Amino acid sequence: MKKVILNVLVFAFVVSLAGCSTIKGIGDDIQAVGGWISNGSEHVEESIKNNPPGSGMKK
């Protein structure tokens, strides 16, 4: 299992270097991923506010 994870990480690193051959390009990619995570967490937060845990349970 450790070999599989290591291979995936090495593959992702090589692909990222090939896709964006500069440090700035890698930084832009990391920033984009951070944006996706932030947007996803904001969506979850909004969903929880609109539908609090336990609000859909019948009494």
Side-chain angles (χ1 to χ4, degrees):
M1 184 66 178
K2 288 182 182 182
K3 285 185 179 183
V4 172
I5 293 172
L6 181 61
N7 286 335
V8 169
L9 290 175
V10 169
F11 178 76
F13 180 73
V14 170
V15 168
S16 70
L17 286 179
C20 46
S21 59
T22 64
I23 296 297
K24 183 182 181 309
I26 293 172
D28 290 343
D29 290 345
I30 292 172
Q31 183 178 7
V33 171
W36 297 338
I37 292 170
S38 293
N39 289 341
S41 65
E42 288 171 3
H43 176 73
V44 169
E45 184 179 349
E46 182 179 325
S47 178
I48 290 173
K49 284 180 184 177
N50 293 337
N51 301 306
S55 65
M57 297 178 66
K58 295 181 179 179
K59 292 183 178 182

CSV table of all heavy atoms in Angstrom, one decimal:
chain,number,residue,atom,x,y,z
A,1,MET,N,0.8,-1.2,0.0
A,1,MET,CA,0.0,0.0,0.0
A,1,MET,C,0.9,1.3,0.0
A,1,MET,O,0.5,2.2,-0.6
A,1,MET,CB,-0.9,0.0,1.2
A,1,MET,CG,-1.9,1.1,1.3
A,1,MET,SD,-3.1,1.0,-0.1
A,1,MET,CE,-4.1,2.3,0.3
A,2,LYS,N,2.0,1.2,0.8
A,2,LYS,CA,2.9,2.4,0.8
A,2,LYS,C,3.5,2.7,-0.6
A,2,LYS,O,3.6,3.8,-0.9
A,2,LYS,CB,4.0,2.2,1.8
A,2,LYS,CG,3.5,2.2,3.3
A,2,LYS,CD,4.6,2.1,4.2
A,2,LYS,CE,4.1,2.1,5.7
A,2,LYS,NZ,5.2,2.0,6.6
A,3,LYS,N,3.8,1.6,-1.3
A,3,LYS,CA,4.3,1.8,-2.7
A,3,LYS,C,3.3,2.4,-3.6
A,3,LYS,O,3.7,3.3,-4.4
A,3,LYS,CB,4.8,0.5,-3.2
A,3,LYS,CG,6.0,-0.1,-2.6
A,3,LYS,CD,6.5,-1.3,-3.4
A,3,LYS,CE,7.8,-1.9,-2.8
A,3,LYS,NZ,8.3,-3.0,-3.5
A,4,VAL,N,2.0,2.1,-3.5
A,4,VAL,CA,1.0,2.7,-4.3
A,4,VAL,C,0.9,4.2,-4.0
A,4,VAL,O,0.8,5.0,-4.9
A,4,VAL,CB,-0.3,1.9,-4.1
A,4,VAL,CG1,-1.5,2.7,-4.8
A,4,VAL,CG2,-0.3,0.5,-4.5
A,5,ILE,N,0.8,4.5,-2.7
A,5,ILE,CA,0.7,5.9,-2.3
A,5,ILE,C,1.9,6.7,-2.8
A,5,ILE,O,1.8,7.8,-3.4
A,5,ILE,CB,0.5,6.1,-0.8
A,5,ILE,CG1,-0.8,5.5,-0.4
A,5,ILE,CG2,0.6,7.5,-0.4
A,5,ILE,CD1,-1.0,5.4,1.1
A,6,LEU,N,3.1,6.1,-2.6
A,6,LEU,CA,4.3,6.8,-3.1
A,6,LEU,C,4.3,7.0,-4.6
A,6,LEU,O,4.7,8.1,-5.1
A,6,LEU,CB,5.6,6.0,-2.7
A,6,LEU,CG,6.9,6.6,-3.1
A,6,LEU,CD1,7.1,8.0,-2.4
A,6,LEU,CD2,8.0,5.6,-2.7
A,7,ASN,N,3.9,6.0,-5.3
A,7,ASN,CA,3.8,6.1,-6.8
A,7,ASN,C,2.8,7.1,-7.2
A,7,ASN,O,3.1,7.9,-8.2
A,7,ASN,CB,3.5,4.7,-7.4
A,7,ASN,CG,4.6,3.7,-7.4
A,7,ASN,OD1,5.8,4.1,-7.4
A,7,ASN,ND2,4.3,2.5,-7.4
A,8,VAL,N,1.7,7.2,-6.6
A,8,VAL,CA,0.7,8.2,-6.9
A,8,VAL,C,1.3,9.6,-6.7
A,8,VAL,O,1.1,10.6,-7.5
A,8,VAL,CB,-0.6,8.0,-6.1
A,8,VAL,CG1,-1.5,9.2,-6.3
A,8,VAL,CG2,-1.3,6.7,-6.6
A,9,LEU,N,1.9,9.8,-5.5
A,9,LEU,CA,2.5,11.1,-5.2
A,9,LEU,C,3.6,11.5,-6.2
A,9,LEU,O,3.7,12.7,-6.6
A,9,LEU,CB,3.1,11.1,-3.8
A,9,LEU,CG,2.0,11.1,-2.7
A,9,LEU,CD1,2.7,10.9,-1.3
A,9,LEU,CD2,1.2,12.3,-2.7
A,10,VAL,N,4.5,10.6,-6.5
A,10,VAL,CA,5.5,10.9,-7.5
A,10,VAL,C,4.9,11.2,-8.9
A,10,VAL,O,5.3,12.1,-9.5
A,10,VAL,CB,6.5,9.7,-7.6
A,10,VAL,CG1,7.4,9.8,-8.8
A,10,VAL,CG2,7.3,9.5,-6.3
A,11,PHE,N,3.9,10.4,-9.3
A,11,PHE,CA,3.3,10.7,-10.6
A,11,PHE,C,2.6,12.1,-10.6
A,11,PHE,O,2.8,12.8,-11.5
A,11,PHE,CB,2.2,9.6,-10.8
A,11,PHE,CG,1.4,9.8,-12.1
A,11,PHE,CD1,2.0,9.6,-13.3
A,11,PHE,CD2,0.1,10.3,-12.1
A,11,PHE,CE1,1.4,9.8,-14.5
A,11,PHE,CE2,-0.5,10.5,-13.3
A,11,PHE,CZ,0.1,10.2,-14.5
A,12,ALA,N,1.9,12.4,-9.5
A,12,ALA,CA,1.3,13.7,-9.4
A,12,ALA,C,2.3,14.9,-9.4
A,12,ALA,O,2.1,15.9,-10.1
A,12,ALA,CB,0.5,13.8,-8.1
A,13,PHE,N,3.5,14.7,-8.8
A,13,PHE,CA,4.5,15.7,-8.8
A,13,PHE,C,5.1,15.8,-10.2
A,13,PHE,O,5.3,17.0,-10.6
A,13,PHE,CB,5.6,15.3,-7.8
A,13,PHE,CG,6.8,16.2,-7.7
A,13,PHE,CD1,6.6,17.5,-7.1
A,13,PHE,CD2,8.0,15.9,-8.3
A,13,PHE,CE1,7.6,18.4,-7.1
A,13,PHE,CE2,9.0,16.8,-8.2
A,13,PHE,CZ,8.9,18.0,-7.6
A,14,VAL,N,5.4,14.7,-10.9
A,14,VAL,CA,5.9,14.8,-12.2
A,14,VAL,C,4.9,15.5,-13.2
A,14,VAL,O,5.3,16.3,-14.0
A,14,VAL,CB,6.3,13.4,-12.7
A,14,VAL,CG1,6.7,13.4,-14.2
A,14,VAL,CG2,7.5,12.9,-11.9
A,15,VAL,N,3.7,15.1,-13.1
A,15,VAL,CA,2.7,15.7,-13.9
A,15,VAL,C,2.5,17.2,-13.7
A,15,VAL,O,2.4,18.0,-14.6
A,15,VAL,CB,1.3,15.0,-13.8
A,15,VAL,CG1,0.2,15.8,-14.4
A,15,VAL,CG2,1.4,13.6,-14.3
A,16,SER,N,2.6,17.6,-12.4
A,16,SER,CA,2.5,19.0,-12.1
A,16,SER,C,3.7,19.8,-12.6
A,16,SER,O,3.5,20.9,-13.0
A,16,SER,CB,2.3,19.2,-10.5
A,16,SER,OG,3.5,18.9,-9.9
A,17,LEU,N,4.9,19.2,-12.5
A,17,LEU,CA,6.0,19.9,-13.1
A,17,LEU,C,5.9,20.0,-14.6
A,17,LEU,O,6.3,21.0,-15.2
A,17,LEU,CB,7.3,19.2,-12.7
A,17,LEU,CG,7.8,19.3,-11.3
A,17,LEU,CD1,9.0,18.5,-11.0
A,17,LEU,CD2,8.0,20.8,-10.9
A,18,ALA,N,5.4,19.0,-15.2
A,18,ALA,CA,5.3,19.0,-16.7
A,18,ALA,C,4.2,20.0,-17.1
A,18,ALA,O,4.4,20.7,-18.1
A,18,ALA,CB,5.0,17.6,-17.2
A,19,GLY,N,3.2,20.1,-16.4
A,19,GLY,CA,2.0,21.0,-16.7
A,19,GLY,C,2.3,22.4,-16.5
A,19,GLY,O,1.9,23.3,-17.2
A,20,CYS,N,3.1,22.7,-15.5
A,20,CYS,CA,3.5,24.1,-15.2
A,20,CYS,C,4.9,24.2,-14.9
A,20,CYS,O,5.4,23.9,-13.8
A,20,CYS,CB,2.6,24.7,-14.1
A,20,CYS,SG,2.5,23.6,-12.6
A,21,SER,N,5.7,24.5,-15.9
A,21,SER,CA,7.2,24.4,-15.8
A,21,SER,C,7.8,25.5,-14.9
A,21,SER,O,9.1,25.6,-14.9
A,21,SER,CB,7.7,24.3,-17.2
A,21,SER,OG,7.4,25.5,-17.9
A,22,THR,N,7.1,26.3,-14.2
A,22,THR,CA,7.7,27.3,-13.4
A,22,THR,C,7.2,27.2,-12.0
A,22,THR,O,6.1,26.7,-11.7
A,22,THR,CB,7.4,28.7,-13.9
A,22,THR,OG1,6.0,29.0,-13.9
A,22,THR,CG2,7.8,28.9,-15.4
A,23,ILE,N,7.9,27.8,-11.1
A,23,ILE,CA,7.5,27.9,-9.7
A,23,ILE,C,6.2,28.7,-9.6
A,23,ILE,O,5.2,28.3,-8.9
A,23,ILE,CB,8.5,28.5,-8.8
A,23,ILE,CG1,9.8,27.7,-8.8
A,23,ILE,CG2,8.0,28.8,-7.4
A,23,ILE,CD1,9.6,26.3,-8.2
A,24,LYS,N,6.0,29.8,-10.4
A,24,LYS,CA,4.8,30.6,-10.4
A,24,LYS,C,3.6,29.7,-10.8
A,24,LYS,O,2.5,29.8,-10.3
A,24,LYS,CB,5.0,31.8,-11.3
A,24,LYS,CG,3.7,32.7,-11.2
A,24,LYS,CD,3.9,33.8,-12.2
A,24,LYS,CE,2.7,34.8,-12.2
A,24,LYS,NZ,1.4,34.2,-12.4
A,25,GLY,N,3.8,28.9,-11.8
A,25,GLY,CA,2.8,28.0,-12.3
A,25,GLY,C,2.3,27.0,-11.3
A,25,GLY,O,1.1,26.8,-11.1
A,26,ILE,N,3.3,26.5,-10.5
A,26,ILE,CA,2.9,25.5,-9.4
A,26,ILE,C,2.2,26.3,-8.4
A,26,ILE,O,1.2,25.8,-7.8
A,26,ILE,CB,4.2,24.9,-8.9
A,26,ILE,CG1,4.8,23.9,-9.9
A,26,ILE,CG2,3.9,24.1,-7.6
A,26,ILE,CD1,6.2,23.4,-9.5
A,27,GLY,N,2.6,27.5,-8.0
A,27,GLY,CA,1.9,28.3,-7.0
A,27,GLY,C,0.5,28.6,-7.5
A,27,GLY,O,-0.4,28.6,-6.7
A,28,ASP,N,0.3,28.9,-8.7
A,28,ASP,CA,-1.1,29.2,-9.3
A,28,ASP,C,-1.9,28.0,-9.1
A,28,ASP,O,-3.1,28.1,-8.8
A,28,ASP,CB,-1.0,29.6,-10.7
A,28,ASP,CG,-0.4,31.0,-10.9
A,28,ASP,OD1,-0.3,31.8,-9.9
A,28,ASP,OD2,0.0,31.4,-12.0
A,29,ASP,N,-1.4,26.8,-9.4
A,29,ASP,CA,-2.1,25.6,-9.3
A,29,ASP,C,-2.5,25.3,-7.8
A,29,ASP,O,-3.6,24.9,-7.5
A,29,ASP,CB,-1.3,24.4,-9.8
A,29,ASP,CG,-1.2,24.4,-11.3
A,29,ASP,OD1,-2.0,25.2,-12.0
A,29,ASP,OD2,-0.4,23.7,-11.9
A,30,ILE,N,-1.6,25.5,-6.9
A,30,ILE,CA,-1.9,25.3,-5.5
A,30,ILE,C,-2.9,26.3,-5.0
A,30,ILE,O,-3.8,25.9,-4.3
A,30,ILE,CB,-0.6,25.4,-4.7
A,30,ILE,CG1,0.3,24.2,-5.0
A,30,ILE,CG2,-0.9,25.5,-3.2
A,30,ILE,CD1,1.7,24.4,-4.4
A,31,GLN,N,-2.8,27.5,-5.5
A,31,GLN,CA,-3.9,28.5,-5.2
A,31,GLN,C,-5.2,28.1,-5.7
A,31,GLN,O,-6.2,28.3,-5.0
A,31,GLN,CB,-3.5,29.9,-5.7
A,31,GLN,CG,-4.4,31.0,-5.4
A,31,GLN,CD,-3.9,32.3,-5.9
A,31,GLN,OE1,-3.0,32.4,-6.7
A,31,GLN,NE2,-4.6,33.4,-5.6
A,32,ALA,N,-5.3,27.6,-6.9
A,32,ALA,CA,-6.6,27.1,-7.4
A,32,ALA,C,-7.2,26.0,-6.6
A,32,ALA,O,-8.4,26.0,-6.3
A,32,ALA,CB,-6.4,26.7,-8.9
A,33,VAL,N,-6.3,25.0,-6.2
A,33,VAL,CA,-6.8,23.9,-5.3
A,33,VAL,C,-7.3,24.5,-4.0
A,33,VAL,O,-8.4,24.1,-3.5
A,33,VAL,CB,-5.7,22.9,-5.1
A,33,VAL,CG1,-6.2,21.9,-4.1
A,33,VAL,CG2,-5.4,22.2,-6.4
A,34,GLY,N,-6.6,25.5,-3.4
A,34,GLY,CA,-7.1,26.1,-2.2
A,34,GLY,C,-8.4,26.8,-2.4
A,34,GLY,O,-9.3,26.7,-1.5
A,35,GLY,N,-8.6,27.4,-3.5
A,35,GLY,CA,-9.9,28.0,-3.8
A,35,GLY,C,-11.0,27.0,-3.9
A,35,GLY,O,-12.1,27.3,-3.4
A,36,TRP,N,-10.7,25.9,-4.5
A,36,TRP,CA,-11.8,24.8,-4.6
A,36,TRP,C,-12.1,24.3,-3.2
A,36,TRP,O,-13.3,24.1,-2.9
A,36,TRP,CB,-11.3,23.6,-5.4
A,36,TRP,CG,-11.0,23.9,-6.8
A,36,TRP,CD1,-11.5,25.0,-7.6
A,36,TRP,CD2,-10.1,23.2,-7.7
A,36,TRP,NE1,-10.9,24.9,-8.9
A,36,TRP,CE2,-10.1,23.8,-9.0
A,36,TRP,CE3,-9.3,22.1,-7.5
A,36,TRP,CZ2,-9.4,23.3,-10.0
A,36,TRP,CZ3,-8.6,21.6,-8.6
A,36,TRP,CH2,-8.6,22.2,-9.8
A,37,ILE,N,-11.1,24.2,-2.3
A,37,ILE,CA,-11.4,23.7,-1.0
A,37,ILE,C,-12.2,24.7,-0.2
A,37,ILE,O,-13.2,24.4,0.5
A,37,ILE,CB,-10.1,23.4,-0.3
A,37,ILE,CG1,-9.4,22.1,-0.9
A,37,ILE,CG2,-10.3,23.1,1.2
A,37,ILE,CD1,-8.0,21.9,-0.5
A,38,SER,N,-11.9,26.0,-0.4
A,38,SER,CA,-12.6,27.1,0.3
A,38,SER,C,-14.0,27.2,-0.2
A,38,SER,O,-15.0,27.3,0.6
A,38,SER,CB,-11.9,28.4,0.0
A,38,SER,OG,-10.7,28.5,0.7
A,39,ASN,N,-14.2,27.1,-1.5
A,39,ASN,CA,-15.6,27.1,-2.0
A,39,ASN,C,-16.4,25.9,-1.5
A,39,ASN,O,-17.6,26.1,-1.2
A,39,ASN,CB,-15.6,27.1,-3.5
A,39,ASN,CG,-15.1,28.4,-4.1
A,39,ASN,OD1,-15.1,29.5,-3.4
A,39,ASN,ND2,-14.7,28.4,-5.3
A,40,GLY,N,-15.8,24.8,-1.5
A,40,GLY,CA,-16.5,23.6,-1.0
A,40,GLY,C,-16.9,23.7,0.5
A,40,GLY,O,-18.0,23.4,0.9
A,41,SER,N,-16.0,24.2,1.3
A,41,SER,CA,-16.3,24.4,2.7
A,41,SER,C,-17.4,25.4,2.9
A,41,SER,O,-18.2,25.3,3.8
A,41,SER,CB,-15.0,24.7,3.5
A,41,SER,OG,-14.5,26.0,3.1
A,42,GLU,N,-17.3,26.5,2.1
A,42,GLU,CA,-18.4,27.5,2.2
A,42,GLU,C,-19.8,26.9,1.9
A,42,GLU,O,-20.8,27.2,2.5
A,42,GLU,CB,-18.1,28.7,1.3
A,42,GLU,CG,-16.9,29.5,1.8
A,42,GLU,CD,-16.5,30.6,0.9
A,42,GLU,OE1,-17.1,30.7,-0.2
A,42,GLU,OE2,-15.5,31.3,1.2
A,43,HIS,N,-19.8,26.1,0.9
A,43,HIS,CA,-21.0,25.4,0.4
A,43,HIS,C,-21.6,24.5,1.6
A,43,HIS,O,-22.7,24.5,1.9
A,43,HIS,CB,-20.8,24.6,-0.8
A,43,HIS,CG,-22.0,23.8,-1.3
A,43,HIS,ND1,-23.1,24.4,-1.8
A,43,HIS,CD2,-22.3,22.5,-1.2
A,43,HIS,CE1,-24.0,23.5,-2.1
A,43,HIS,NE2,-23.5,22.3,-1.7
A,44,VAL,N,-20.7,23.8,2.2
A,44,VAL,CA,-21.1,22.9,3.3
A,44,VAL,C,-21.6,23.7,4.5
A,44,VAL,O,-22.6,23.4,5.1
A,44,VAL,CB,-19.9,22.0,3.8
A,44,VAL,CG1,-20.2,21.3,5.0
A,44,VAL,CG2,-19.6,21.0,2.7
A,45,GLU,N,-20.9,24.8,4.8
A,45,GLU,CA,-21.3,25.7,5.9
A,45,GLU,C,-22.7,26.3,5.6
A,45,GLU,O,-23.5,26.3,6.5
A,45,GLU,CB,-20.3,26.8,6.1
A,45,GLU,CG,-20.6,27.7,7.2
A,45,GLU,CD,-19.5,28.8,7.4
A,45,GLU,OE1,-18.5,28.8,6.7
A,45,GLU,OE2,-19.8,29.7,8.2
A,46,GLU,N,-22.9,26.7,4.4
A,46,GLU,CA,-24.2,27.3,4.0
A,46,GLU,C,-25.3,26.2,4.1
A,46,GLU,O,-26.4,26.4,4.6
A,46,GLU,CB,-24.2,27.9,2.6
A,46,GLU,CG,-25.5,28.5,2.2
A,46,GLU,CD,-25.4,29.1,0.8
A,46,GLU,OE1,-24.3,29.6,0.5
A,46,GLU,OE2,-26.4,29.0,0.1
A,47,SER,N,-25.0,25.0,3.7
A,47,SER,CA,-25.9,23.9,3.7
A,47,SER,C,-26.3,23.6,5.2
A,47,SER,O,-27.5,23.3,5.5
A,47,SER,CB,-25.3,22.7,3.0
A,47,SER,OG,-26.2,21.6,3.1
A,48,ILE,N,-25.3,23.6,6.1
A,48,ILE,CA,-25.6,23.3,7.5
A,48,ILE,C,-26.5,24.4,8.1
A,48,ILE,O,-27.4,24.1,8.9
A,48,ILE,CB,-24.3,23.1,8.2
A,48,ILE,CG1,-23.6,21.8,7.8
A,48,ILE,CG2,-24.5,23.1,9.8
A,48,ILE,CD1,-22.2,21.6,8.4
A,49,LYS,N,-26.2,25.7,7.7
A,49,LYS,CA,-27.0,26.8,8.2
A,49,LYS,C,-28.5,26.6,7.8
A,49,LYS,O,-29.4,26.9,8.6
A,49,LYS,CB,-26.5,28.1,7.8
A,49,LYS,CG,-25.2,28.5,8.5
A,49,LYS,CD,-24.8,29.9,8.0
A,49,LYS,CE,-23.5,30.3,8.7
A,49,LYS,NZ,-23.0,31.6,8.1
A,50,ASN,N,-28.7,26.2,6.5
A,50,ASN,CA,-30.0,26.1,6.0
A,50,ASN,C,-30.7,24.8,6.5
A,50,ASN,O,-32.0,24.8,6.6
A,50,ASN,CB,-30.0,26.1,4.5
A,50,ASN,CG,-29.5,27.4,3.9
A,50,ASN,OD1,-29.7,28.5,4.5
A,50,ASN,ND2,-29.0,27.4,2.7
A,51,ASN,N,-30.0,23.8,6.8
A,51,ASN,CA,-30.6,22.5,7.2
A,51,ASN,C,-29.8,22.0,8.4
A,51,ASN,O,-28.9,21.2,8.3
A,51,ASN,CB,-30.5,21.5,6.1
A,51,ASN,CG,-31.3,21.9,4.9
A,51,ASN,OD1,-32.4,22.3,5.0
A,51,ASN,ND2,-30.6,21.9,3.8
A,52,PRO,N,-30.0,22.6,9.6
A,52,PRO,CA,-29.2,22.2,10.8
A,52,PRO,C,-29.3,20.7,11.1
A,52,PRO,O,-30.4,20.1,10.8
A,52,PRO,CB,-29.8,23.0,11.9
A,52,PRO,CG,-30.7,24.0,11.4
A,52,PRO,CD,-31.0,23.6,10.0
A,53,PRO,N,-28.3,20.1,11.6
A,53,PRO,CA,-28.4,18.7,12.0
A,53,PRO,C,-29.6,18.4,12.9
A,53,PRO,O,-29.8,19.1,13.8
A,53,PRO,CB,-27.1,18.4,12.7
A,53,PRO,CG,-26.2,19.5,12.2
A,53,PRO,CD,-27.0,20.7,12.0
A,54,GLY,N,-30.3,17.4,12.5
A,54,GLY,CA,-31.5,17.0,13.3
A,54,GLY,C,-32.8,17.7,12.9
A,54,GLY,O,-33.9,17.4,13.4
A,55,SER,N,-32.7,18.7,11.9
A,55,SER,CA,-33.9,19.4,11.5
A,55,SER,C,-34.8,18.6,10.7
A,55,SER,O,-36.0,18.9,10.6
A,55,SER,CB,-33.5,20.7,10.8
A,55,SER,OG,-32.9,20.4,9.6
A,56,GLY,N,-34.3,17.6,10.0
A,56,GLY,CA,-35.2,16.8,9.2
A,56,GLY,C,-35.7,15.5,9.9
A,56,GLY,O,-36.4,14.7,9.3
A,57,MET,N,-35.5,15.4,11.2
A,57,MET,CA,-36.0,14.2,11.9
A,57,MET,C,-37.4,14.4,12.3
A,57,MET,O,-37.8,15.5,12.7
A,57,MET,CB,-35.1,14.0,13.1
A,57,MET,CG,-33.6,13.7,12.8
A,57,MET,SD,-32.6,13.4,14.2
A,57,MET,CE,-33.3,11.9,14.9
A,58,LYS,N,-38.2,13.3,12.2
A,58,LYS,CA,-39.5,13.4,12.6
A,58,LYS,C,-39.6,13.2,14.1
A,58,LYS,O,-38.8,12.4,14.7
A,58,LYS,CB,-40.4,12.3,12.0
A,58,LYS,CG,-40.5,12.5,10.5
A,58,LYS,CD,-41.3,11.4,9.8
A,58,LYS,CE,-41.4,11.6,8.3
A,58,LYS,NZ,-42.2,10.6,7.7
A,59,LYS,N,-40.6,13.8,14.8
A,59,LYS,CA,-40.7,13.7,16.2
A,59,LYS,C,-41.9,12.8,16.6
A,59,LYS,O,-42.8,12.6,15.9
A,59,LYS,CB,-40.9,15.1,16.9
A,59,LYS,CG,-39.7,15.9,16.8
A,59,LYS,CD,-39.9,17.2,17.5
A,59,LYS,CE,-38.6,18.0,17.4
A,59,LYS,NZ,-38.7,19.3,18.1
